[in-house]
Structures are given as structure tokens and as C-alpha cells.
Amino acid sequence: MANKQVWTATGRRKRSSAQVRMTTGKGKITINGVPVSEYMPYETLVMDIKQPLTITNNDDKFDIEVTVKGGGFSGQAGATRLAITRALIEYDANTDQTREDSYRKILKKAGFVKRDPRVKERKKYGLKKARRAPQFSKR
């Protein structure tokens, strides 16, 4: 059996962390050993995960295995999307990056390359949440 080439990458979003193993294949995506459509409860999250593959016309070119931990489904989907984006950039690393059809330029224009830095703000003392103050009573 010939060695398959593997591209790996890590993505993070909120409290989630995703590690991706991308190999040439038929377009099968599994998250923690479960098919992506069964793991994610909403079809919009599945579409969100597949966006980097769709925009670069690689929907049925790679098999992707994802190991994701922490956070909720939205954060996990964002972490997985970033990891897939980074794996695609690693796959395309040998081509000329100044060309308009390089994966990095396509994905950067779509806004997938940058990590989303927004995380939950910490709770402050004397408040109910990060900014929510207790109800004021005049009498």
C-alpha cells in the first residue's frame, strides 16, 4: 500500500480547538469519528465547515478527519473551518502565492484565514454577568 500524503492543521474559536487530518479521497468529513451531518445539529454549521472546500472547488477531493474538543457546536464549527483553511493552505504551499488563483488569496479574500478573536468576557464582581448590573430600586 502506497503512503498517502497527509496535511494537518489546528484551528481555534472561542473555547474550542480542532485538529484536522486531510488526505486525498472522496470528500468524506468525520468529526470525532462521526459523519459531519450527524455530529452537527444544524445544516448551517455543516455549510460553514465546508465553505473553504467549496470556495476552492475541493468538495470531493479530500477526506477530512477532525478531532474537536471544548466549547459548543458554533465554536467547534468555527475552529474546524479555520483548521480546514490552514490545511488547504499547507496543501497549496508549493504553488506561487502571488497568483490570483492561489488558495491563500482566495481564502483570505473570503475572510477565512484570520482567527476570530472574540471570546466570552469575564464576570466582574458586584455584577450579575460581565456587564449586567443588578436591578436598581429607588425605594
Side-chain angles (χ1 to χ4, degrees), residues 76-135:
Q76 289 183 353
T80 304
R81 183 175 82 171
L82 179 61
I84 290 172
T85 299
R86 288 178 173 172
L88 283 170
I89 290 170
E90 186 181 321
Y91 163 76
D92 195 46
N94 295 333
T95 62
D96 183 21
Q97 297 300 313
T98 58
R99 291 176 43 185
E100 287 299 315
D101 62 340
S102 73
Y103 287 175
R104 182 167 182 85
K105 279 207 173 173
I106 294 168
L107 293 165
K108 191 173 176 96
K109 194 173 187 180
F112 298 154
V113 176
K114 188 176 181 199
R115 182 196 188 280
D116 191 347
R118 296 175 295 171
V119 292
K120 186 171 179 168
E121 191 175 338
R122 79 176 220 41
K123 183 192 175 300
K124 278 64 163 207
Y125 63 88
L127 301 180
K128 290 183 179 277
K129 292 168 67 176
R131 298 182 186 209
R132 170 76 172 103
Q135 186 171 0

Side-chain angles (χ1 to χ4, degrees), residues 8-132:
T8 60
T10 302
R12 289 182 201 84
R13 168 88 170 94
K14 293 187 178 180
R15 292 244 173 223
S16 302
S17 179
Q19 293 177 316
V20 164
R21 285 185 77 242
M22 190 171 78
T23 56
T24 53
K26 302 220 180 341
K28 192 175 77 173
I29 301 174
T30 57
I31 299 178
N32 294 342
V34 181
V36 68
S37 54
E38 290 177 29
Y39 185 84
M40 288 292 167
Y42 307 114
E43 192 60 37
T44 53
L45 294 177
V46 176
M47 285 172 31
D48 194 35
I49 289 171
K50 292 181 179 179
Q51 275 180 328
L53 297 167
T54 306
I55 208 166
T56 56
N57 298 321
N58 289 315
D59 284 326
D60 51 359
K61 192 174 178 183
F62 298 108
D63 285 341
I64 297 173
E65 296 173 31
V66 184
T67 305
V68 68
K69 294 177 184 165
F73 288 116
S74 176
Q76 289 183 353
T80 304
R81 183 175 82 171
L82 179 61
I84 290 172
T85 299
R86 288 178 173 172
L88 283 170
I89 290 170
E90 186 181 321
Y91 163 76
D92 195 46
N94 295 333
T95 62
D96 183 21
Q97 297 300 313
T98 58
R99 291 176 43 185
E100 287 299 315
D101 62 340
S102 73
Y103 287 175
R104 182 167 182 85
K105 279 207 173 173
I106 294 168
L107 293 165
K108 191 173 176 96
K109 194 173 187 180
F112 298 154
V113 176
K114 188 176 181 199
R115 182 196 188 280
D116 191 347
R118 296 175 295 171
V119 292
K120 186 171 179 168
E121 191 175 338
R122 79 176 220 41
K123 183 192 175 300
K124 278 64 163 207
Y125 63 88
L127 301 180
K128 290 183 179 277
K129 292 168 67 176
R131 298 182 186 209
R132 170 76 172 103

